[in-house]
Amino acid sequence: MFRKNLLTQMIYRIVTCCVSALAVLLTFGVFYVGQGADGLTWEFLKYYTNISNYFVFAVSVVVLADTVKRVYAGERVGYNRKILNLKFMTTVMILVTFLVYATLLGEPFTADFWQNLGNLSYHVFAPLLFIIDYFLFEEKKSVSVFAPLLSLIIPLVYVCYVFILGAAIKDFEYPYFFLDVNDLGYGGVMVWVVILVLIFTVLGYLLWLYNRITIENGKLKIDFKNIVWLKKPAERLPAVESQPVPATPQTDDEV
């Protein structure tokens, strides 16, 4: 089956890495008309979109490197075994980036939407390629039941990061209205943070449920047996206690 074909996975992930690399470069603003290296500032580091794309690129490189290594070692079928939880967390991150832009910020029915290479790269193409990788090539029943909760860590760290920037930098421009402490106050921002935590949790567990869907006798089934907690079941088997080796009886010649 093509889902387990490592050569197919390798080719797909090469494309993903190339598109993701372009998206990362475009977040720096280097290639925009009329803007060169002298126009660069640190501000691209304050946007969730950019940070989520940096995670996508880093994870994609690690997974691709392992896939290439296995293909050249002669393997032809299998699934990714590297940084499974981080890959899932990144999938949730970039899914939020894609959905927010596609439904709230972007205007997909206008010409400008399709003419801006930067927006398309880091809001649409790179996110979709990474998300599709999860749906096509992730091993079924391999994602920890805690992975959706772990996916909250990076967004919450990002919120704290923005708060620190806002407190440390005079006249700091908050990247998103729902994090603007000057406008909403900390109480208003925390309401939005709770809403976002719920959104991340729901999306995370929807992705987790997809990972549990199997086909048995031609019917779709959500398998809740053998739930993966932190490690794969085979990695959590108790160690077999070694049995003492019985002493060998001595013969007359050994006395």
Side-chain angles (χ1 to χ4, degrees):
M1 189 176 181
F2 83 97
R3 295 183 68 249
K4 296 180 65 175
N5 189 297
L6 286 172
L7 184 59
T8 301
Q9 295 176 32
M10 182 182 74
I11 294 171
Y12 184 92
R13 285 164 180 162
I14 289 173
V15 175
T16 300
C17 280
C18 291
V19 174
S20 180
L22 175 62
V24 167
L25 289 174
L26 288 171
T27 64
F28 301 153
V30 176
F31 301 126
Y32 289 117
V33 176
Q35 182 178 2
D38 293 336
L40 293 178
T41 69
W42 66 272
E43 294 214 346
F44 61 85
L45 291 174
K46 72 180 182 181
Y47 293 101
Y48 175 87
T49 292
N50 296 350
I51 293 174
S52 62
N53 272 276
Y54 303 153
F55 270 90
V56 164
F57 178 68
V59 171
S60 296
V61 169
V62 172
V63 174
L64 173 62
D66 181 64
T67 307
V68 171
K69 179 181 176 182
R70 293 170 64 185
V71 168
Y72 276 87
E75 292 187 54
R76 289 296 176 264
V77 294
Y79 294 99
N80 171 54
R81 291 288 191 273
K82 296 294 182 181
I83 53 176
L84 289 177
N85 282 332
L86 182 57
K87 185 171 183 284
F88 181 86
M89 293 163 67
T90 304
T91 303
V92 177
M93 283 182 68
I94 204 64
L95 178 60
V96 172
T97 296
F98 170 73
L99 290 177
V100 169
Y101 185 75
T103 60
L104 298 178
L105 303 179
E107 298 178 345
F109 299 106
T110 63
D112 290 340
F113 180 92
W114 300 102
Q115 292 173 356
N116 191 319
L117 181 60
N119 280 336
L120 288 175
S121 296
Y122 43 73
H123 283 125
V124 180
F125 296 149
L128 279 179
L129 284 169
F130 194 82
I131 294 165
I132 291 172
D133 183 281
Y134 172 81
F135 284 104
L136 289 184
F137 302 124
E138 199 71 25
E139 182 179 7
K140 289 295 184 180
K141 298 186 286 186
S142 65
V143 176
S144 166
V145 69
F146 294 124
L149 299 180
L150 293 175
S151 300
L152 300 175
I153 295 174
I154 299 175
L156 290 175
V157 170
Y158 170 76
V159 170
C160 294
Y161 164 68
V162 171
F163 284 171
I164 293 171
L165 291 179
I169 300 174
K170 184 179 180 181
D171 299 325
F172 176 71
E173 292 187 13
Y174 287 87
Y176 306 104
F177 77 91
F178 48 81
L179 294 179
D180 192 339
V181 174
N182 297 329
D183 187 33
L184 301 177
Y186 282 102
V189 169
M190 291 311 298
V191 171
W192 275 103
V193 169
V194 171
I195 293 173
L196 292 172
V197 165
L198 292 175
I199 292 173
F200 271 86
T201 304
V202 170
L203 288 176
Y205 274 105
L206 286 176
L207 290 177
W208 180 81
L209 282 174
Y210 171 81
N211 187 253
R212 306 298 303 182
I213 293 176
T214 58
I215 299 178
E216 294 184 9
N217 299 322
K219 296 182 180 180
L220 292 178
K221 175 184 176 182
I222 299 178
D223 189 349
F224 291 106
K225 298 178 181 179
N226 299 319
I227 297 294
V228 180
W229 298 99
L230 290 176
K231 297 181 180 180
K232 291 184 69 60
E235 297 172 339
R236 294 185 286 107
L237 292 175
V240 178
E241 295 183 3
S242 58
Q243 300 295 328
V245 179
T248 303
Q250 290 182 322
T251 63
D252 295 338
D253 294 337
E254 293 175 320
V255 176

